[in-house]
Amino acid sequence: MKEIHDFTIIERRQYGERYFSLRLQHGGTMPTIEPGQFVEVLVEDTPGVMLRRPISIHDVDAEASTLTLLIQVVGRGTQHLSRLSVGDRLNLVYPLGHGFTIDLPAGRHALLVGGGAGIAPLLHLSKELKTKGVHSTVLLGGRTADLIPARDAFQPYGDLCLATDDGSLGHKGLVISHPAFSEHYDIIYTCGPTPMMKAVARSAAERNLRCEVSLENMMACGVGACLCCVTDTDQGHRCVCKDGPVFDITTLKKWYQC
Ligand SMILES: Cc1cc2nc3c(=O)[nH]c(=O)nc-3n(C[C@H](O)[C@H](O)[C@H](O)COP(=O)(O)OP(=O)(O)OC[C@H]3O[C@@H](n4cnc5c(N)ncnc54)[C@H](O)[C@@H]3O)c2cc1C
Ligand code: FES
């Protein structure tokens, strides 16, 4: 059930120059939030930013009625959000879209592959998998160590593996060249830059592994009304905001093969 609600910022953290997180508190009870769902954030008082901005839900604490967003500064909207402080209010429409499928029995093994801002939805996912008794390997990549934000938060929830292009942290090279990537898994979940997700999807398909990707197409309304986020799937055109953002790769052959 979608809600529109004002939240109060109760914590702000900075990760290097480009990333920051905002922990937001809701005055009442929050709806259930699936890992992979997102919010549409209202960016106020910013000329040229008319539309809400889609941001994944990074972490949820249902008891404390808080959710956390992990944000990369790329343009005017995210720049404005980066200037907000503890005590400021933020208006969200949430939870939006369909999240990752969590249907493995306890004892199975999942691989979570994230890059850049695509790391964001994987924390809530790794926590939910742990609750279900599913073992996670979390493989995060970035060009440099600074561009793998919030990585320590994953430590309690799975085996953490890191890869950087320049070798400043973990394995030197792309996530798909990390030795952990070639092991066997019952499912692979991925979110990050499109070339990374396509490479992960192609490899999963070749190895006959289940795989879900979270697409980050440009969005406007976030609820399936404007059709600006449509992607061409094997089942026809689908709105990433409403039918996704998470898709099983069996429906995305056209997408990952090109
Ligand atoms: C479902 C979903 C979840 C997302 N989750 C997160 C998240 O958790 N953390 C995070 O930092 N970002 C996330 N994003 C991306 C985020 O929405 C954009 O970075 C943001 O809207 C940019 O707003 P802006 O006003 O700062 O930049 P703009 O001025 O709108 O754009 C600046 C530059 O970023 C590019 N850009 C804008 N949106 C996107 C996009 N969706 N994909 C690729 N390039 C884009 C533009 O083409 C432009 O070059 C998500 C996007 C989607 C669709
Ligand atoms: S953003 Fe409007 S239909 Fe998806």
Side-chain angles (χ1 to χ4, degrees), residues 119-175:
I119 289 171
L122 303 184
L123 182 64
H124 183 32
L125 176 62
S126 67
K127 285 187 169 183
E128 289 291 304
L129 289 168
K130 182 155 185 172
T131 306
K132 304 270 190 234
V134 175
H135 182 74
S136 295
T137 295
V138 181
L139 174 54
L140 307 179
R143 271 182 290 128
T144 62
D146 248 19
L147 298 176
I148 311 182
R151 52 189 182 257
D152 294 340
F154 288 88
Q155 291 279 9
Y157 307 107
D159 298 331
L160 182 59
C161 302
L162 302 169
T164 48
D165 295 4
D166 67 352
S168 52
L169 188 66
H171 170 81
K172 183 174 182 186
L174 301 175
V175 282

Side-chain angles (χ1 to χ4, degrees), residues 19 36-39 43 49 52-58 69-80 117-121 191 214-219 240-241 245:
Y19 286 90
Q37 287 188 303
F38 64 99
V39 302
V43 181
V49 180
R52 287 175 180 265
R53 295 299 194 247
I55 301 290
S56 302
I57 297 168
H58 177 53
L69 308 179
L70 175 66
I71 302 175
Q72 180 185 20
V73 177
V74 296
R76 274 189 278 191
T78 46
Q79 185 80 58
H80 172 83
I119 289 171
C191 186
S214 183
L215 301 184
E216 291 199 349
N217 291 23
M218 304 281 267
M219 290 185 183
V240 172
C241 66

Side-chain angles (χ1 to χ4, degrees), residues 14-211:
Q14 186 70 36
Y15 298 98
E17 282 183 15
R18 295 182 61 181
Y19 286 90
F20 64 98
S21 69
L22 298 175
R23 187 167 180 221
L24 308 169
Q25 190 157 47
H26 184 291
T29 308
M30 297 194 300
T32 304
I33 296 172
E34 296 167 18
Q37 287 188 303
F38 64 99
V39 302
E40 282 269 37
V41 183
L42 182 65
V43 181
E44 290 181 295
D45 308 323
T46 309
V49 180
M50 312 295 287
L51 300 166
R52 287 175 180 265
R53 295 299 194 247
I55 301 290
S56 302
I57 297 168
H58 177 53
D59 199 7
V60 177
D61 183 339
E63 270 180 34
S65 284
T66 67
L67 57 80
T68 305
L69 308 179
L70 175 66
I71 302 175
Q72 180 185 20
V73 177
V74 296
R76 274 189 278 191
T78 46
Q79 185 80 58
H80 172 83
L81 297 175
S82 75
R83 294 197 192 104
L84 298 177
S85 322
V86 169
D88 287 339
R89 312 268 286 169
L90 210 49
N91 185 274
L92 307 183
V93 179
Y94 82 111
L96 297 172
H98 287 286
F100 295 103
T101 312
I102 303 182
D103 57 4
L104 289 180
R108 295 299 176 93
H109 196 168
L111 174 67
L112 285 60
V113 186
I119 289 171
L122 303 184
L123 182 64
H124 183 32
L125 176 62
S126 67
K127 285 187 169 183
E128 289 291 304
L129 289 168
K130 182 155 185 172
T131 306
K132 304 270 190 234
V134 175
H135 182 74
S136 295
T137 295
V138 181
L139 174 54
L140 307 179
R143 271 182 290 128
T144 62
D146 248 19
L147 298 176
I148 311 182
R151 52 189 182 257
D152 294 340
F154 288 88
Q155 291 279 9
Y157 307 107
D159 298 331
L160 182 59
C161 302
L162 302 169
T164 48
D165 295 4
D166 67 352
S168 52
L169 188 66
H171 170 81
K172 183 174 182 186
L174 301 175
V175 282
I176 55 164
S177 67
H178 193 292
F181 183 70
S182 315
E183 288 172 22
H184 178 79
Y185 298 96
D186 297 295
I187 191 165
I188 301 178
Y189 303 102
T190 185
C191 186
T194 300
M196 183 202 87
M197 290 198 290
K198 285 188 176 179
V200 170
R202 279 195 289 267
S203 169
E206 281 163 21
R207 293 150 68 196
N208 225 3
L209 302 179
R210 269 181 82 191
C211 180

